[in-house]
Each structure stands twice: as structure tokens, then as C-alpha cells.
Amino acid sequence: MADAQRRPHQPRPPSPDVVKVRSLFISDVHLGTRGCQSEQLIDFLRHHDAETLFLVGDIIDGWRLRSSWHWPKTHNAVVQELVELARQGRRLVYVPGNHDEFLRDYAGAMFAGIEVVERAIHRGLDGRDYLVVHGDHFDVVVRHARWLALLGDAGYRAALACNVWLNWIRARFGLAYWSFSSWAKLRVKNAVNHIGQFEQVLSSEARQHGVQGVICGHIHHAAIHDQFGVRYINTGDWVESCTGVVERYDGQFEIIRWVDAQRRRTSAESDLVPFVKAVA
């Protein structure tokens, strides 16, 4: 944080392919951990111009920072980027999660133009009202067995470290990226709290609030569906999948898988170069 106070924030560079959207939802960034894909997130933010940005919990990983301090310049740059968006007049709403639960004590406050709230109601252009919560209150692991959640968190970090070596070996054999940690976490999560159960409980909570949808994070599993009578939207994470949810001006919500989007953009640019040279 000290670097942010000493150095003025660099202005956001103009990008020719910025997509204007009404709302943007991200969660589970886990700043303060080695698994955080901060550079990918900055790139994602700079390619999407949203009126409102919802930070749906676990943006900062207070659990990890308390046990081992890790805060590189790129994590500072994410904070600077968010503050700059607020300074430019964008609305930023921060709904804390379990890893940044220390911010729940400041619900109703505003820091650097960022609103901190316990939960929010978002009126979508599709005519639905959405309950915006992180979702940890409805996870049996976090709610009733915090020690088990902490143990699982330690194991998950170890699995993330395995990703580096596993995918180095896979690359040597010409195989595509595969996330061992994502696979392992889903298997462990299913053993205690099935994703479907989590989604059903969150959908039920939305109905109890008299709204027609819920937008959450927490389980690092991006999804949009209507299986339980309301629109369920999960934003995913920025540790592995690098996913966010956008609300477009036609009222549609869409999951953006940023690594895939970058790959498509790079491929399109490489296809264009030979054409440009041929024309020249």
C-alpha cells in the first residue's frame, strides 16, 4: 500500500477495443496470495467500461495476509485501478466475503469512492431484481466448520502450486492447460457441500428477499442458469478461471472467460497481419 501513496497512479491507457457495458461483476480475486491473476484482471478491467462495478467478495485475502504477507506491485496496481475507476465517476460497490470479512465491520462506509455494503439489490435491464451477496453465509463448510475451511484453504494453495509443475510437463507433451487445483477443489467441495446444493440455497434466499435473481461468488465456479426458479449467476474467480460477469445494454448477462477471450483476440490479430501485408 505504501507504493500507492508514494507514486501517482498511471492513467488508464486508451484501448481501441474497449467494450462498454452497463454493469460488471467480479469476485474471488484473492489479492495477497500467490495464485492471484492480478495482471489478467487489470487487462480485463481496461477492456471493459462499466457504469457500475460490483466487487462480490474475497477481493483481498485477509486470511492469507495474516499468516504470510505477500503484496507485489501488481496487486497494488489492482487497487490503484479500482480507485481510478471510482475517481472517474464509475460506481463501485464492495460486498465483502469470508476472506475479506474484516470489511463487514465497515458496511455503510465509503473508502476512496468505493461503497462497502453487506449485500446489495441490483435492478437489471432484464426486469429482474438481483440479490448480490458473496455466498459464504450459505456454505456449510464456512458457516459451521471454520477450521475445516481453513484446512481446505491450505490444501487448495498447495494444489495451486502443483499447477505450475503439472502444466510445465503437459506443455512438454503438447497438451493444453489443465487445472489440477480446480479439479481437486471441486471434488473436495462436492464431498461436503455440493455445488448444486449451494446454488439451490442461494436461489431460495433470493426468493425470500422477494427478488428474481442472485449474483454471488465464493465457490470459484462461474455459472448462469434458471434451474431453481430464479436466475442464478456466479462470477467465478481470478485465481484460475479468470472469469467475470458483464451486464450488457440489451439486458443480457454473460460470463467472460478472459483467458479464452485474450486467445481469440490474439488469434484474430495474427490472422489480420498477413492480410494487411498483402494489401500493402
Side-chain angles (χ1 to χ4, degrees):
M1 292 292 187
D3 289 343
Q5 295 172 353
R6 287 196 297 266
R7 288 198 314 273
H9 178 61
Q10 296 297 319
R12 305 178 84 208
S15 177
D17 53 351
V18 171
V19 178
K20 291 185 177 295
V21 295
R22 182 176 185 242
S23 306
L24 192 60
F25 303 83
I26 61 173
S27 73
D28 299 277
V29 177
H30 292 279
L31 293 170
T33 67
R34 297 185 186 279
C36 171
Q37 301 290 331
S38 51
E39 293 181 7
Q40 296 279 8
L41 175 58
I42 291 171
D43 192 45
F44 174 78
L45 291 173
R46 291 185 175 183
H47 281 84
H48 292 85
D49 183 6
E51 295 178 20
T52 304
L53 171 59
F54 285 91
L55 306 169
V56 194
D58 286 2
I59 305 302
I60 300 171
D61 197 318
W63 289 11
R64 186 59 178 159
L65 288 173
R66 280 195 294 269
S67 61
S68 176
W69 185 263
H70 176 74
W71 196 269
K73 292 180 180 179
T74 55
H75 292 202
N76 224 36
V78 171
V79 176
Q80 292 174 327
E81 194 72 22
L82 296 174
V83 170
E84 176 66 13
L85 285 171
R87 189 192 66 80
Q88 292 178 1
R90 308 303 191 273
R91 183 187 178 208
L92 273 73
V93 181
Y94 196 142
V95 182
N98 51 306
H99 284 258
D100 47 16
E101 61 189 351
F102 62 92
L103 287 171
R104 286 174 171 159
D105 293 336
Y106 301 96
M110 182 174 289
F111 299 98
I114 302 174
E115 307 169 36
V116 180
V117 299
E118 188 172 348
R119 60 185 62 198
I121 301 295
H122 174 68
R123 170 65 61 88
L125 286 179
D126 60 3
R128 294 182 175 94
D129 286 336
Y130 290 88
L131 173 67
V132 184
V133 292
H134 180 64
D136 58 292
H137 289 103
F138 309 96
D139 185 337
V140 67
V141 174
V142 175
R143 189 174 181 183
H144 298 296
R146 183 182 174 86
W147 67 270
L148 184 59
L150 290 168
L151 181 63
D153 184 59
Y156 182 50
R157 291 198 306 271
L160 280 175
C162 290
N163 275 351
V164 176
W165 298 104
L166 176 63
N167 282 288
W168 180 82
I169 295 171
R170 289 176 63 86
R172 300 276 291 185
F173 286 93
L175 299 174
Y177 177 87
W178 180 72
S179 175
F180 166 73
S181 56
S182 179
W183 175 87
K185 183 179 182 184
L186 290 177
R187 301 289 81 73
V188 172
K189 208 66 169 180
N190 283 338
V192 189
N193 183 34
H194 293 289
I195 287 177
Q197 181 184 5
F198 177 84
E199 295 175 345
Q200 188 170 7
V201 170
L202 263 292
S203 298
S204 176
E205 181 70 10
R207 284 194 296 272
Q208 290 182 23
H209 279 78
V211 297
Q212 300 78 45
V214 60
I215 301 173
C216 61
H218 185 57
I219 59 173
H220 295 207
H221 186 71
I224 298 178
H225 62 70
D226 304 297
Q227 293 177 13
F228 302 110
V230 301
R231 174 64 53 86
Y232 170 88
I233 300 176
N234 193 297
T235 62
D237 70 281
W238 288 89
V239 176
E240 298 169 279
S241 63
C242 295
T243 54
V245 170
V246 300
E247 180 192 17
R248 303 193 182 280
Y249 283 104
D250 62 0
Q252 294 297 311
F253 287 82
E254 179 186 357
I255 297 170
I256 305 295
R257 303 184 186 278
W258 190 236
V259 174
D260 293 343
Q262 285 178 317
R263 193 177 295 121
R264 288 194 299 270
R265 192 172 69 246
T266 301
S267 176
E269 290 173 354
S270 63
D271 290 343
L272 184 62
V273 170
F275 174 77
V276 171
K277 288 183 177 178
V279 172

